[in-house]
Amino acid sequence: MEIRLWSVVAEPVALAAAGPGAEEAGGPGTEAAGPGTEAAGPDAEAGRSGAWFAAGPGGVVVVVAGGVRTHEDLTVPGPLPRVVERHLAREPHAAILAFARLPEGCLALGTARVTRIGRRRGAVQDLELRLDAPLPYEFLDRVRPTGPPGPQPDIDWVDLLPADPATALERFVSGWYDDVPSAAPEKTAGLPQPLQTFHRAAAGRAEVYGRALEIFREGAATSVPGMIAFGQEGDGVFTLLTEAAGDDPRVWYHGLSDQPLRERERLGAYLMMVALAHAAMDSSPGGMAFADRAQTRRIVGPLRRVPLRPMRWPCAKSRFYVGPGMVVLVGEADGDWFEVYVGARHRSLLRRLRKLGLDWESFDG
C-alpha cells in the first residue's frame, strides 16, 4: 500500500511499510519481538510517549510520540531494539520512514536520514533524524501542540539603561530565568564590581554563563599586564579581557583581530549585553536567520531597542531588541543583510515570525 506524505494511517499500516516479515518492537526499552506478541506493536503502549519500530526488507519504520522538535528534526528515544541497531549498521544505510503518532493514527512524515546516533556503552540510546521533506506548520502544530505562553516578565529594566546596567542585569536575569532556582554566589572578591554583580545574578543558573560566548566562573590570569581574562568565545576564537582595577573597567577582545579590539561599552553595560546575547543565541525555543532590511524591521517592529551602543560580536554592530519573553540580536554584517538571533521563553511567542519568509538556519518555533 502506498502511503502519501502527510496522510494519517492506522498504526498497523505504518508498521507494515517495513515490508513482509518485518520484526516489530514497541515502546521505550522494549526488545525486538515477533508479530503477534504483546510487544509487537504500539497498541500495547497506547497513551505513552516513546517510539515504535519495524525493520524489514523495506527499511526501518519509526513511529514517534512526542519526539518532533522542529519542522524538520525529530528525536527517537531509546534504547533502540537490537533489530533496529542491526539495520542501522548496514551499508548502505537502510531507508528510514518516519511517522508521528496522533490520537487518530500515524501521520506520515516521509523519509528521514540519521543526523546523530547517541551511544552509551556501545548500545544505541537514541537517534536524531532530519526529514527529507520539512513538515508544514499546520502539521507541525498537530504533532507538537503549543499552548498559550502564560504571563511573561516585564521589560521595565530597559528604562534603567544606560545609567544603571547592574540593576538592569539583575532584573533581566531574575525574570528570564525565573524557573531556575538561584543559589549563593561563589567567592568573587578581587573581581571588578560588574563581574561580581554578574556572578551574583548567575549563581545557580548555568545558562547565564552561556555557550556561544562563555563567561568564566572566576577570573583567569593573562600575559597582558594589568588585565584579567573573564570569558571566551565558544570555539576559542578570542578571549575577553578587562582591567583588573577600576569600578567599571574597559573590555577588549583578544584574538578577534590582529590587535586587542576594545568594546564600545565598559564592563557593566557589556555584561548586560552578554546576558542578552545568551538569551538570544543559546535559548530554545529560538532560531537564527539571515534577513534583509525589510524583514528585520518586521522582526523588531513590536519590540523595544536596548539603549546601549552596538556590541562588536557576533557582528561588528550587534544590537538588541526585547519584548516580554523575547530577546532578538540583530547583527549588521553589511548594508543589505543581517544576522538575526531570536530567543523566547515560550514557543508560541515565535509564531508571528513564521509568516515573514525568513531564511532560517535553525528554528524551533
Side-chain angles (χ1 to χ4, degrees), residues 90 149 182 200 217 239 254 328 346 359:
R90 294 175 182 172
S182 60
R200 185 168 58 247
R217 283 165 172 75
T239 301
H254 190 269
V328 174
H346 194 275
D359 180 19

Side-chain angles (χ1 to χ4, degrees), residues 49 70-71 88 99 154 161 186 209 317 347:
S49 63
T70 75
H71 69 298
L88 292 175
F99 293 83
D154 59 44
L161 297 171
E186 299 180 6
Y209 288 97
K317 293 183 179 179
R347 183 171 283 115

Side-chain angles (χ1 to χ4, degrees), residues 87-166:
H87 276 257
L88 292 175
R90 294 175 182 172
E91 293 290 346
H93 295 303
I96 296 179
L97 187 60
F99 293 83
R101 196 167 186 227
L102 298 171
E104 64 270 27
C106 298
L107 178 68
L109 305 179
T111 55
R113 50 193 167 85
V114 176
T115 56
R116 189 187 70 85
I117 299 178
R119 298 182 184 274
R120 183 180 178 187
R121 296 177 180 175
V124 177
Q125 293 298 308
D126 59 80
L127 292 176
E128 290 185 5
L129 303 178
R130 175 152 294 182
L131 299 174
D132 291 330
L135 194 60
Y137 286 124
E138 62 181 290
F139 294 111
L140 177 63
D141 290 338
R142 292 177 63 186
V143 301
R144 195 199 62 184
T146 301
Q152 297 297 316
D154 59 44
I155 56 171
D156 58 359
W157 53 265
V158 177
D159 297 328
L160 300 172
L161 297 171
D164 188 1

Side-chain angles (χ1 to χ4, degrees), residues 218-224 227-229 241:
E218 57 185 31
T222 176
S223 59
V224 182
M227 297 281 189
I228 60 171
L241 304 181

Side-chain angles (χ1 to χ4, degrees), residues 130-290:
R130 175 152 294 182
L131 299 174
D132 291 330
L135 194 60
Y137 286 124
E138 62 181 290
F139 294 111
L140 177 63
D141 290 338
R142 292 177 63 186
V143 301
R144 195 199 62 184
T146 301
Q152 297 297 316
D154 59 44
I155 56 171
D156 58 359
W157 53 265
V158 177
D159 297 328
L160 300 172
L161 297 171
D164 188 1
T167 305
L169 170 66
E170 291 178 315
R171 289 189 184 178
F172 168 73
V173 170
S174 64
W176 189 267
Y177 302 98
D178 65 352
D179 57 338
V180 182
S182 60
E186 299 180 6
K187 296 179 180 179
T188 59
L191 293 176
Q193 188 61 47
L195 275 171
Q196 295 187 39
T197 299
F198 182 91
H199 291 302
R200 185 168 58 247
R205 298 165 168 140
E207 298 88 348
V208 182
Y209 288 97
R211 296 191 303 272
L213 182 65
E214 179 190 4
I215 299 301
F216 299 153
R217 283 165 172 75
E218 57 185 31
T222 176
S223 59
V224 182
M227 297 281 189
I228 60 171
F230 69 94
Q232 187 176 57
E233 194 268 343
D235 293 326
V237 173
F238 61 80
T239 301
L240 294 171
L241 304 181
T242 191
E243 296 158 315
D247 294 334
D248 194 13
R250 293 170 293 183
V251 174
W252 281 266
Y253 299 90
H254 190 269
L256 193 58
S257 60
D258 293 340
Q259 299 294 326
L261 180 64
R262 195 174 82 179
E263 184 54 273
R264 297 179 179 94
E265 295 284 1
R266 287 181 173 264
L267 183 59
Y270 180 75
L271 290 170
M272 176 75 245
M273 291 192 291
V274 166
L276 292 171
H278 292 165
M281 301 178 73
D282 297 339
S283 290
S284 180
M288 184 270 171
F290 293 98

